Amino acid sequence: MSWQMKNRLIMSHEKHLNNLAQQIPNDVKIYQEMYSPQQALDKTIKSYSSPKTLLWIKTDQAKITTYSDNLSPEITTVENITDQPKIFNISNQYWLMCSLKISFDEKNLQTIYVAQNINDDQLLLNDLLKTLFLIIFLTNIAIIYATSTYICLALKPIDNITKTAKNISPDKLKEVSLKFNQAPTEVRKLALTIEELLLKIGESWDNQEQLLSNVSHELRTPLTIVSGYLQSLLRRGDNLTKTQKEALTIANSEAGRTVQLLQDLLELARADSGNIKLQMEIVKLSELLREIIPMAQQYSQRQITLSIEDQNINIKVDINRFKQIFLNLLDNAIKYSSDDTLIEIRVSKKEDIIIEIEDHGIGIPLAYQNRIFERFYRMDEARTRYDSGSGLGLAIVKTLVLAMNGNISLISQPQKGTIFTLKFPYE
Ligand code: ADP
């Protein structure tokens, strides 16, 4: 733009210079009628001279023969003056300079140099350009500011959607409201679509939960009855053959396992719908653990040791759920380690209450460690000789620990053993 404006400035003066080129030869001719050729040239040059317009004639030997009165040496020594007008800055003044080839008679072709002072115009142009750049700069800043504000405003609802989505629990899916009246239309549409989607997922989640809960409930009762009959049959079946007894024992244990599985499924379904009812109370941890250990040893003679840093540590838990967690973990520890190995429970107190359960069994390879808390996840069956589990035990443990404001993690090394660490807030 600056280049374009400069060109316009040159063009506005170019016309004046062309007029000079046409008029000077005519004026010289008129003066020649009264004066000698040199005097006529002098008179003509002076008549067109002014403080802002300077003219001079230079011979091929660079000798200045005729010139305006105000001509200064700085101007005449400027090089590269061509027939195309160009702007030069001489002693802080802007001059538009060019050379004109003029013939005063048919033979002589003389070179007249013209310098037009355009300082005022150039300064005005410079000021204009400065103002223009300032306006462009400020406009750009205003546009950037307006655009970023608009983008922030437009993205804020999306940020809110993300925050809401992160905090939605399955049981609250249908209650989510993502209405953003201030948001742009597209974002409002997106929020509405997500809301409808969540409603549909919520409904199907409810249906699935209801189905699971109904099926588990309906199956559990008859299976418990079947299991009861099988047990009494086994107790009183003195006249049964060995094969019949074996068959009944297997049937009984499978029925028992299935009842347990249904019990677990119901438990998880309740947790998913936020219906786990906890009766939190403050109890002495050492006493609670001493009560649990014999329960775990009921079906195995495994040695379980307990070491507690402080016998008086209190913990706030739902006692029955806490027992359920420990029986599950101890049951696994017994199941996945050999009979001659020790199981250790250690309790320490730092910022939280830390309870570790360590076994020296088959361990869990790193690749499986993240996944064992998933529902129905069981490690490669070929690795283990244990097929009595359902893969729901640790999923329930984790759900219950989290519900009691705790958390669970593990460290394990194959063939060396596993340590499950539970942390509960200190009371
Ligand atoms: P399962 O009923 O199969 O024991 P869990 O959810 O309790 O289901 O455990 C999931 C899987 O984690 C188990 O199949 C087992 O492979 C592995 N696991 C759990 N506890 C231990 C342990 N103490 N030592 C080795 N592997 C374990």
Side-chain angles (χ1 to χ4, degrees):
M1 186 181 287
S2 142
W3 177 81
Q4 228 175 9
M5 288 175 90
K6 206 168 160 184
N7 267 358
R8 281 183 183 248
L9 181 70
I10 294 175
M11 270 158 65
S12 70
H13 288 277
E14 210 170 8
K15 203 172 167 201
H16 173 61
L17 296 174
N18 287 338
N19 283 346
L20 278 183
Q22 280 173 11
Q23 284 169 3
I24 288 175
N26 293 339
D27 287 11
V28 172
K29 266 184 205 150
I30 294 166
Y31 278 120
Q32 268 180 351
E33 287 171 10
M34 295 174 273
Y35 303 103
S36 68
Q38 185 55 44
Q39 278 174 327
L41 213 52
D42 259 4
K43 291 261 179 215
T44 311
I45 293 292
K46 289 204 171 105
S47 71
Y48 283 103
S49 298
S50 74
K52 292 210 165 188
T53 311
L54 303 174
L55 297 104
W56 67 100
I57 296 175
K58 219 188 227 178
T59 62
D60 292 343
Q61 291 77 38
K63 191 171 172 236
I64 296 172
T65 51
T66 312
Y67 52 87
S68 309
D69 289 341
N70 302 325
L71 190 68
S72 66
E74 288 106 324
I75 293 181
T76 53
T77 49
V78 172
E79 285 174 10
N80 299 330
I81 303 176
T82 61
D83 53 352
Q84 286 304 314
K86 259 202 278 181
I87 297 174
F88 294 88
N89 187 335
I90 302 159
S91 313
N92 286 332
Q93 292 284 313
Y94 290 98
W95 292 89
L96 184 66
M97 295 163 88
C98 72
S99 63
L100 308 169
K101 294 270 184 228
I102 294 178
S103 81
F104 300 108
D105 47 47
E106 272 68 45
K107 292 177 229 149
N108 284 332
L109 200 64
Q110 304 249 24
T111 309
I112 298 187
Y113 293 89
V114 185
Q116 177 86 43
N117 188 310
I118 55 159
N119 203 42
D120 292 346
D121 291 354
Q122 182 68 42
L123 290 181
L124 188 72
L125 180 70
N126 288 354
D127 282 352
L128 255 172
L129 283 174
K130 271 187 209 152
T131 317
L132 200 68
F133 281 133
L134 194 69
I135 290 172
I136 291 173
F137 179 70
L138 291 178
T139 315
N140 275 345
I141 291 203
I143 290 172
I144 291 170
Y145 179 75
T147 316
S148 58
T149 312
Y150 179 78
I151 290 174
C152 279
L153 278 178
L155 290 183
K156 197 158 190 297
I158 295 182
D159 193 38
N160 287 345
I161 293 176
T162 317
K163 277 188 197 141
T164 317
K166 265 188 192 161
N167 296 325
I168 303 175
S169 59
D171 53 314
K172 299 272 181 325
L173 280 171
K174 288 193 294 182
E175 294 158 29
V176 173
S177 166
L178 299 171
K179 293 206 168 47
F180 302 110
N181 295 332
Q182 307 284 306
T185 321
E186 292 78 9
V187 178
R188 280 210 303 274
K189 274 189 199 160
L190 175 73
L192 202 71
T193 314
I194 294 178
E195 227 175 81
E196 285 168 9
L197 191 70
L198 289 178
L199 191 72
K200 281 182 196 154
I201 298 175
E203 278 167 7
S204 90
W205 180 267
D206 279 359
N207 290 343
Q208 183 198 317
E209 248 175 30
Q210 197 58 46
L211 179 76
L212 187 68
S213 165
N214 288 349
V215 170
S216 308
H217 199 76
E218 291 302 318
L219 288 178
R220 197 174 49 152
T221 318
L223 268 172
T224 314
I225 296 169
V226 169
S227 175
Y229 276 123
L230 287 172
Q231 276 168 24
S232 82
L233 204 62
L234 274 168
R235 266 197 311 274
R236 285 191 257 125
D238 301 332
N239 51 349
L240 293 173
T241 63
K242 196 174 164 246
T243 325
Q244 282 170 332
K245 269 191 178 171
E246 268 174 19
L248 281 176
T249 312
I250 292 171
N252 182 39
S253 92
E254 282 305 305
R257 205 167 76 87
T258 315
V259 169
Q260 183 56 48
L261 173 71
L262 293 170
Q263 183 77 35
D264 289 351
L265 281 173
L266 265 175
E267 193 87 74
L268 285 168
R270 261 189 234 125
D272 288 341
S273 57
N275 282 338
I276 274 206
K277 301 260 179 309
L278 296 175
Q279 284 178 343
M280 299 290 274
E281 36 187 314
I282 299 176
V283 284
K284 203 160 262 175
L285 182 58
S286 55
E287 286 173 10
L288 191 54
L289 289 173
R290 281 199 187 94
E291 213 181 301
I292 294 170
I293 292 170
M295 292 166 83
Q297 285 170 321
Q298 227 174 357
Y299 303 107
S300 117
Q301 295 315 306
R302 188 64 70 82
Q303 200 189 345
I304 302 175
T305 62
L306 172 65
S307 84
I308 294 200
E309 203 179 86
D310 176 355
Q311 297 293 329
N312 294 318
I313 297 177
N314 284 333
I315 192 166
K316 192 175 180 184
V317 287
D318 176 310
I319 296 177
N320 287 330
R321 302 298 195 182
F322 190 82
K323 283 182 184 166
Q324 192 181 349
I325 293 171
F326 273 79
L327 288 175
N328 246 311
L329 291 173
L330 288 171
D331 184 45
N332 276 349
I334 293 169
K335 214 160 54 169
Y336 299 112
S337 63
S338 58
D339 295 341
D340 54 347
T341 57
L342 190 68
I343 292 166
E344 297 162 73
I345 303 177
R346 287 184 294 272
V347 179
S348 57
K349 192 177 73 178
K350 288 190 181 94
E351 277 166 25
D352 297 305
I353 300 170
I354 296 168
I355 312 169
E356 290 175 325
I357 301 163
E358 178 170 11
D359 67 60
H360 302 277
I362 59 168
I364 305 166
L366 196 63
Y368 297 93
Q369 289 180 15
N370 268 343
R371 303 205 56 193
I372 56 164
F373 292 103
E374 289 172 18
R375 288 172 196 190
F376 294 109
Y377 189 81
R378 306 199 68 218
M379 280 188 326
D380 179 9
E381 301 284 348
R383 278 183 74 246
T384 70
R385 60 198 156 86
Y386 319 94
D387 57 1
S388 61
S390 62
L392 283 178
L394 286 178
I396 289 179
V397 165
K398 186 162 184 179
T399 308
L400 292 177
V401 170
L402 292 177
M404 285 192 239
N405 306 321
N407 70 52
I408 181 165
S409 58
L410 78 133
I411 307 173
S412 185
Q413 246 185 310
Q415 306 316 325
K416 292 230 164 106
T418 306
I419 306 175
F420 280 94
T421 306
L422 291 104
K423 284 188 191 167
F424 288 98
Y426 185 61
E427 279 304 316

